[in-house]
Amino acid sequence: MDEAQELTDAEWQMLLLRCPSRSFTIVGDRAQARHGFTESWPERLERIGLDRINLASLSINYRTPEEVMAEAEPVIRAVLPDANVPTSIRSSGVPVVHGSASDLSSILDTWLAAHADGIACVIGDPTFGAMPRVRSLTPELSKGLEFDLVVLIDPEAFGKGIEGAVDRYVAMTRATQQLVILTSS
């Protein structure tokens, strides 16, 4: 069961009814729970009716470079101080870039010219139309995906509270090489 942090009690009950052995491999990240996840995993799983729990936490991050995680970690820790934020084992050597949303076209043109392969994603600008090797997604739809370059547009506009912080954290951690954060003001 992937993305288990998003399941409601009713969805868990549906799964339990379909698996009488109650044997599951459950994968979920409290830091990616859009509607909050205040319980620990053992508390959550015991409450929904699972009683034999072996918990293993991811401590190593293979996807997201340390430059990006250094920027993303404080975003999630602000709303979930005990979040399991894995340690990146690699550096891309590329710092996170901050700039103006008006620079979007030139940033993409420069990146595309410098990279014959790879996929970029613009997250947070519903007016941006996808183009070859550049996707356009909402923060919610970026979950579970990864891109060489991620450009966030006005990430503070992704929302307030836990939902906004989770959307920012998830969007930031989709980058496998480079993260660019652009604001309109």
Side-chain angles (χ1 to χ4, degrees):
M1 171 60 51
D2 196 9
E3 302 291 349
Q5 74 276 358
E6 300 296 348
L7 296 178
T8 65
D9 287 354
E11 290 166 328
W12 275 113
Q13 292 309 310
M14 178 192 68
L15 289 170
L16 291 169
L17 288 171
R18 285 167 177 73
C19 185
S21 70
R22 294 179 177 239
S23 177
F24 294 94
T25 298
I26 299 167
V27 180
D29 184 354
R30 292 174 58 232
Q32 294 188 37
R34 289 195 76 234
H35 303 291
F37 195 121
T38 57
E39 299 167 293
S40 68
W41 273 109
E43 290 168 336
R44 172 74 169 144
L45 297 175
E46 287 170 5
R47 185 171 58 74
I48 57 103
L50 296 174
D51 56 3
R52 294 180 321 240
I53 301 165
N54 294 319
L55 185 66
S57 293
L58 174 69
S59 61
I60 303 295
N61 183 340
Y62 296 96
R63 177 184 60 222
T64 311
E66 61 187 18
E67 295 88 351
V68 173
M69 287 308 293
E71 191 98 10
E73 183 174 359
V75 169
I76 198 61
R77 291 229 189 266
V79 295
L80 191 61
D82 66 338
N84 177 41
V85 178
T87 302
S88 294
I89 62 162
R90 67 181 183 84
S91 169
S92 66
V94 180
V96 174
V97 173
H98 292 264
S100 171
S102 63
D103 296 333
L104 177 60
S105 292
S106 65
I107 288 168
L108 292 174
D109 291 344
T110 301
W111 186 84
L112 289 167
H115 298 86
D117 295 314
I119 303 290
C121 186
V122 175
I123 300 175
D125 181 356
T127 66
F128 180 81
M131 48 197 269
R133 297 196 310 124
V134 182
R135 305 294 177 257
S136 178
L137 295 172
T138 64
E140 301 92 335
L141 292 177
S142 72
K143 184 183 269 187
L145 303 176
E146 58 185 55
F147 303 94
D148 301 289
L149 168 68
V150 170
V151 181
L152 302 186
I153 307 295
D154 293 323
E156 292 304 316
F158 292 3
K160 302 287 183 217
I162 188 82
E163 254 183 43
V166 166
D167 283 351
R168 282 187 290 283
Y169 175 77
V170 167
M172 294 169 92
T173 59
R174 303 305 90 197
T176 63
Q177 297 296 321
Q178 184 178 6
L179 174 63
V180 175
I181 301 173
L182 303 178
T183 56
S184 296
S185 49

